Amino acid sequence: MRTYLVTGGAGFIGSNYIHYMFRKYGGEIRIINVDALTYAGNLENLKEIEKRDNYTFIRADITDKDAITKIFAENDIDRVVHFAAESHVDRSIKDPEVFVRTNVLGTAVMLNCAKAAWELPDGSFQEGRKFLHVSTDEVYGSLEEDGGFFYETTPYAPHSPYSASKASSDMLVRSYMDTYRFPANITNCSNNYGPYQFPEKFIPLVINNALQGKSLPVYGDGKNVRDWLYVEDHAKAIDMVQEQGRLFETYNIGGHNEKQNIEIINIILETLQEQLADDDPRKKLVSRDLITYVEDRKGHDRRYAIAPDKIRAEIGWEPETMFRDGIRRTIQWYFEHEDWMRNATSGDYQKYYAEMYK
Ligand code: NAD
Ligand code: TYD
C-alpha cells in the first residue's frame, strides 16, 4: 500500500486532491494530511473522509523541521504531494514575509526532510520515492493581451510577492533535482475554480456576493485574463504526472480556457439566473448592477495562458470539464453547501478543529 504525505490538504486544491485520490484508489493507498490550519485551512472540506482508517490528519507547520522529521521517521512515506502555501496575491501585497516563510522556507524543510528519509548511503534514493511540488503559472509573469503562451521553457519573471515566493520554491526543487538527483517533479498550473475554494478568491467571491446582492469588485478595467481550470482536472493531472511523468521534469497544466474577469462575472450572473428557482428571493438580487469597478491591484498581471502541449503529448492528460459545466457544478455545490460558505465567511469553520480534535 502506497503512503502519501500531502501538505496543505485542508486547503482548496489539496482537499479536492484527497477526495479525488480516495475516489480513484479507495483502500489501496494511505494518505497523511499535514496542514497548519491557517485561515485558509478548513477541515470541513474533509468531513466525508476523515473517519477512513487509511486517512490521518496531522496539524503541523511545514516550517517546523522537528515536526516534519518526526512524520517521516514514524511513517514509511512513498510519495509527497506538496500543496501547502500562502496562496492569495492580495494578501502577499499586504504581508509578504509570511509568503517567504511558508512558501520558501517551508518548501526547503519539506525537501530536506524527504531527502534525509529517502537517501541511501551512496547518495542515490530509495526506489519508487517521489516528491511532487505543486506550483503556479504566475511564476512566468505576465503575457501581452494578444500574444503567446507559457511553456515549461518560458523564463521565470514573477511580479507579486506571492509569485516570487513560489518561483523561489520552484528553484529550490530544481536545485535538489540538479544537485542530488532528488526524485521530484514540478507542476505549474493555471487558475483553479470549484468546490471548497475560500471566498476571498475571485470566483467564489463573485458567487457569494451576487447571491447576497453585494457589490462585485472588479479590479482595474476588468480585462485581465486568467486561464481557468476545474479543480478536479488539476487533481487528476497531478496524479498522472506523479505516476506517468518523467522524473525531474516540469509539466504545465491548463486547458486553453482564457477569460477576462468581466466575462467571468457575466457567465456567473447568467448561470445563477438559470439555476435559481423563480420563487427564490435571491433571484431578484443577482444583477449586473452589482458590478463595481474598483482601484486596480498593484502590479496586476495582465494575462496568464498555459500551453499544455507537453503534458498532453507525454502523459495524455487533457481537461475534461468545459467551463460552463464547471461553473454550473461549482454554483450547484455552493447552493448545496450554504453552511460551508456561511462558516467560511464568518470564521466559524475554525471552531471545527477544536470540536473534532479535542
Ligand atoms: P489554499 O490557500 O486554499 O490552501 C493552502 C493550505 O496550506 C491551507 O490548508 C493552509 O492551512 C495550508 N498551509 C498554509 N501555510 C502552511 C504552513 N506553514 N504549514 C502547513 N500548512 C500550511 O491554497 P490552494 O488554492 O489550495 O493552493 C494549493 C497550492 O496550489 C499552492 O501551493 C498554490 O501555490 C498552488 N496553486 C494554486 C492555484 C489556484 O488557482 N488556487 C493555481 C495553481 C497552483
Ligand atoms: P484571484 O482569484 O485572486 O487569483 P490570481 O490573482 O491568483 O489570478 O484573482 C483572479 C483575477 O480576478 C485577478 O485578475 C484579480 C481579479 N479580481 C478582481 O477583479 N476582484 C476581486 O475581488 C478579486 C479577489 C480578484
Side-chain angles (χ1 to χ4, degrees), residues 7-12 33-45 57-63 83-88 91 98-99 101-103 198 200-201 343-344 347-353:
T7 70
F12 162 50
N33 172 17
V34 176
D35 197 298
L37 300 183
T38 68
Y39 80 94
N42 184 349
L43 286 179
E44 285 189 36
N45 299 359
F57 172 70
I58 300 175
R59 187 174 192 172
D61 192 311
I62 54 164
T63 63
F83 293 96
E86 288 292 335
S87 69
H88 190 41
R91 284 180 189 257
V98 65
F99 284 71
R101 199 180 79 86
T102 289
N103 300 0
F198 196 72
E200 66 182 354
K201 300 280 168 67
N343 289 344
D348 275 359
Y349 67 99
Q350 282 165 332
K351 293 181 190 150
Y352 186 75
Y353 176 81

Side-chain angles (χ1 to χ4, degrees), residues 88-89 138 191 200-202 217-219 226 261 297 300:
H88 190 41
V89 174
E138 303 192 24
N191 285 60
E200 66 182 354
K201 300 280 168 67
F202 188 53
V218 181
Y219 298 165
R226 297 292 181 266
N261 294 336
R297 173 186 279 170
H300 197 175

Side-chain angles (χ1 to χ4, degrees), residues 234-337:
H234 187 189
K236 181 174 181 185
I238 287 170
D239 181 44
M240 288 177 82
V241 166
Q242 200 160 44
E243 294 319 310
Q244 291 155 243
R246 286 181 294 136
L247 270 180
F248 316 115
E249 292 290 320
T250 290
Y251 293 90
N252 281 356
I253 305 172
H256 283 309
N257 182 46
E258 292 177 51
K259 300 247 179 301
Q260 291 183 342
N261 294 336
I262 193 70
E263 284 179 77
I264 297 285
I265 294 194
N266 286 326
I267 292 171
I268 291 174
L269 293 176
E270 279 165 31
T271 315
L272 284 170
Q273 282 295 348
E274 276 164 32
Q275 285 180 235
L276 285 165
D278 285 340
D279 59 355
D280 191 315
R282 294 175 297 179
K283 195 155 184 157
K284 290 207 183 66
L285 301 174
V286 172
S287 146
R288 294 222 159 99
D289 296 342
L290 300 173
I291 295 172
T292 310
Y293 287 87
V294 300
E295 192 188 333
D296 207 356
R297 173 186 279 170
K298 289 186 173 64
H300 197 175
D301 286 337
R302 193 62 177 167
R303 172 173 166 255
Y304 301 145
I306 282 276
D309 305 16
K310 180 174 171 181
I311 190 169
R312 190 190 296 131
E314 285 191 15
I315 298 180
W317 174 88
E318 295 213 55
E320 286 167 22
T321 311
M322 300 297 292
F323 189 66
R324 289 268 178 177
D325 286 344
I327 281 291
R328 257 182 233 119
R329 281 164 71 178
T330 304
I331 288 176
Q332 192 57 36
W333 186 88
Y334 284 110
F335 281 168
E336 287 162 11
H337 295 79

